[in-house]
Amino acid sequence: MAMPKHEKQPETQPEKVIEFKQVRKHYKDYQALKGISLEVYRGEFIGLLGPNGAGKTTLVEILEGLKMPDSGSVRVLGKSWQQDALYLRHRLSAVLQETLFINKLRVEEVLKLFGSFYGCSRQRVLAVMEQLELTEKRRTYVEGLSGGQRQRLALGVAIMNEPEILILDEPTTGLDPRFRHDTWDILRNLNREKKSTLLLTTHYMEEAEYLCDRICIMNKGEIIAQGSQGELLKKHCNGDLIELTTRFPERLQVLSQHPRVLGYDYDEQKNKIRLMVSDSTRFVAHLFEFAKKANADIDELIIRKKTLDDLFMTLAGRRFHE
């Protein structure tokens, strides 16, 4: 007797928790968002990158329900802010660049206060303090906390209700490198262990590289590229960068015709040649050999992989900080 064939189980589709469709927003004559469409799935850690004025904050404020779009639609956890605000407030949370607390409250009192809004137990308060390494500061007044400790407290308040979606609006701005990296580890663990969906806006390229599964690059109210860092660099910015300075740059101009050179640029003010090459390891040997024959001593040489800042330069014609 023939055995029945097992039916192939359909692949589980990832759950869509945020959906923007052709969202537009303007302020007088300024168009902050120009028809943004974006989908975010449960458990993703997504980064929004771009310079000031790119539209990141406006997009986040619409996601938080603080502003309404002029046109287009926004769905969060399958709901809308117009009809389901109370439902969404219990499932979303945010960490801002700076959070103001009452200075004469102690750390534990602040967490208890915000926890009471969600009916959180004392055990939850203790767990959050331990998770954020604030237990030793439980009796410390807010005014006695360092900047990094205050930001940890703000993060503690934000995760007290174990939000399904956590919005991080430049949360590590102004923190010293140690506190910044500690915060990164806390956020990554929150994403992996609790399966929370995190959306981050940042100016720090290394922050997005370390944390985010997917990166959306914004410029002038539009998303101009999105994908993982590897996907974006491979698609738009493939190759290695070589920067060199020499007193005789004209003698090395012929390098632009080399088959491994994908791009050539000369900065006359800095006397610097910038090459994008397909394989820096093999090209460098040829570079030194040619420079020796051309009697053009190389004073400084930098070889590096392309970064997200280089990618933005390629796509938008300027650096993030510009």
Side-chain angles (χ1 to χ4, degrees), residues 14-73:
E15 181 186 355
K16 195 183 301 180
V17 294
I18 299 171
E19 184 177 22
F20 286 81
K21 283 187 178 180
Q22 290 298 311
V23 172
R24 298 179 183 273
K25 183 70 178 178
H26 75 278
Y27 305 98
K28 294 185 178 179
D29 296 330
Y30 174 67
Q31 196 165 5
L33 298 179
K34 303 174 181 177
I36 291 287
S37 294
L38 176 65
E39 296 177 350
V40 181
Y41 298 91
R42 186 172 296 279
E44 263 197 303
F45 201 138
I46 188 167
L48 292 179
L49 273 66
N52 291 330
K56 304 187 303 296
T57 298
T58 299
L59 189 69
V60 165
E61 288 175 340
I62 290 175
L63 174 59
E64 294 170 334
L66 300 177
K67 290 181 178 167
M68 292 295 115
D70 297 329
S71 62
S73 65

Side-chain angles (χ1 to χ4, degrees), residues 283-301:
F283 180 78
V284 166
H286 173 80
L287 172 63
F288 281 114
E289 182 182 342
F290 183 85
K292 184 178 180 180
K293 289 181 179 178
N295 197 22
D297 293 338
I298 296 174
D299 299 321
E300 184 182 36
L301 179 68

Side-chain angles (χ1 to χ4, degrees), residues 15-19 74-80 84 87-88:
E15 181 186 355
K16 195 183 301 180
V17 294
I18 299 171
E19 184 177 22
V74 181
R75 303 289 291 178
V76 184
L77 298 171
K79 310 286 184 181
S80 70
D84 306 288
Y87 175 90
L88 292 175

Side-chain angles (χ1 to χ4, degrees), residues 293-310:
K293 289 181 179 178
N295 197 22
D297 293 338
I298 296 174
D299 299 321
E300 184 182 36
L301 179 68
I302 298 173
I303 304 171
R304 63 178 175 84
K305 295 290 184 182
K306 285 218 162 189
T307 65
L308 292 174
D309 199 26
D310 297 312

Side-chain angles (χ1 to χ4, degrees), residues 14-20 36-49 59 188 191 197-202 207-217 223 225-232 308 311:
E15 181 186 355
K16 195 183 301 180
V17 294
I18 299 171
E19 184 177 22
F20 286 81
I36 291 287
S37 294
L38 176 65
E39 296 177 350
V40 181
Y41 298 91
R42 186 172 296 279
E44 263 197 303
F45 201 138
I46 188 167
L48 292 179
L49 273 66
L59 189 69
R188 210 48 176 131
N191 175 242
T197 303
L198 278 71
L199 188 143
L200 168 76
T201 71
T202 182
E207 187 163 86
E209 292 169 358
Y210 182 81
L211 290 173
C212 298
D213 305 314
R214 178 159 55 105
I215 294 166
C216 296
I217 298 181
I223 295 176
Q226 62 175 298
S228 69
Q229 179 188 352
E231 291 169 346
L232 290 173
L308 292 174
L311 172 62

